[in-house]
Amino acid sequence: MATAQIADLKCAHQRVLMRVDFNVPLDEDGAVLDDRRIRAAIPTVQAVLKKGGLPILMSHLGRPSGTGPETAYSLEPIASRLQALLGSSHQVHFVSGVCRGSEASRTIEKAATGDVVMLDNLRFEAGEKANDSEFAKEVAALGDAYVNDAFGTAHRAHASMVAVPDAMHCKPKVAGLLLEQEIHYLADVMSSPATPFLAILGGAKVSDKLAAIRNLLGRVDSILVGGAMAYTFLHARGDAVGASLVETDMIETAQMLMESAASEGVEICLPIDHICAQTISKDVETRVCEIGIPRGWMGLDIGPETVADWAIRIDSARTVVWNGPVGVFEQPPFNVGTAAIAEAMAHTTKRHDATTVVGGGETAAAVEQAGFAGAISHVSTGGGASLRMLEGAALPGLASLDSA
Ligand code: AMP
């Protein structure tokens, strides 16, 4: 996917409107709980500063009503954290309560070279989510160039992702460094993977991953299906699944997917054993079940035989993409299988120089929790956006950027 990049951008003395994803968790007092997304944007901010440009950062945070400023959703604590991360050599000017208009323009005008401007929550205005062109025109007027570094929002056709760059007409519109990295791992590696190419899919529902499975069937050598979605496949195959989660309206689809996989020569591997319990809680009695889960018992994680078999398969793959935990990873002891998959991916990355990619959201949290995030080639910062890319879908936020 050839999208213009920061390296192509000439922005000395220019105002660079930069869409970032600073939608970070805050505690009850408004303090930043996890600043990974802020830190992830710093290289692009620094790159613009180094080129002599003035970064003007814009982001959404949470779900305000869209009818004006709300203190609980102000980006002020994030601006303070950014200031701390950038250090005293760069002053961060925060535009409180608004993301356009005269106050934003005044703040931008008074900013000196080396400073950074941060606008307040884009979603204080309904025009952001509505992709409104009038709202976008005013935001666009604040910049001479546009940088998108908000992969986590790239699947949403919101104004700051689409209508704003569109309103900037022939001004330069490029991908930031984080977006560039996401595109590399999720699009370029997917289209020309080293083989064997293995996909691991888990999570709650077949219906959520259906488009991804269909797209992957044409690209991969095998797919490991875990998580609750495995039970719809196992049920379709005729196995007893007890009280495990089954999407009854997806049983026929699961059957058809297994048939098309067989005709395309793609192996769909289902768990060969399961960690089962009657309820999801910490000290509950568990059983390892092989084929056939008894009545009243739920499959809540892949079992030890499956872990051993899948670790071998992961070890012999040269490209692995993973989306969706293979068990109820939030609740020990049902986190073991997911942690073992993360470990196997880290191992093959190190030992065989395999390319390993983890989709964002729950899977990224699980890999982080298991302590292997740093040992995997790429852990995506976007849950929904990374899934759209596995589906082979075009992302609206990427379509608005210049081609390389
Ligand atoms: P998703 O957002 O579709 O990737 O789903 C993630 C959720 O699937 C997590 O909250 C897991 O707890 C849940 N999950 C994974 N495996 C199972 C399972 N065997 N039974 C019930 N829920 C599961």
Side-chain angles (χ1 to χ4, degrees), residues 252-342:
E252 214 171 295
T253 307
Q255 231 150 12
M256 275 159 40
L257 287 171
M258 287 190 282
E259 280 159 25
S260 41
S263 68
E264 295 200 34
V266 176
E267 197 181 7
I268 291 193
C269 303
L270 300 174
I272 47 178
D273 61 350
H274 316 267
I275 305 294
C276 298
Q278 290 176 301
T279 54
I280 304 176
S281 56
K282 196 170 176 234
D283 297 315
V284 72
E285 181 198 347
T286 59
R287 280 187 194 175
V288 177
C289 301
E290 293 179 353
I291 292 178
I293 296 175
R295 266 180 162 214
W297 290 74
M298 294 179 279
L300 296 171
D301 194 8
I302 54 173
E305 296 282 336
T306 308
V307 166
D309 179 52
W310 289 10
I312 293 169
R313 291 172 186 274
I314 292 166
D315 198 56
S316 47
R318 291 299 164 266
T319 307
V320 187
V321 294
W322 178 20
N323 191 298
V326 296
V328 182
F329 77 99
E330 307 92 329
Q331 179 59 73
F334 309 111
N335 57 336
V336 173
T338 298
I341 298 295

Side-chain angles (χ1 to χ4, degrees), residues 201-215:
L201 293 175
K205 290 180 172 176
V206 178
S207 47
D208 289 347
K209 307 277 155 76
L210 194 55
I213 301 175
R214 288 204 170 113
N215 183 45

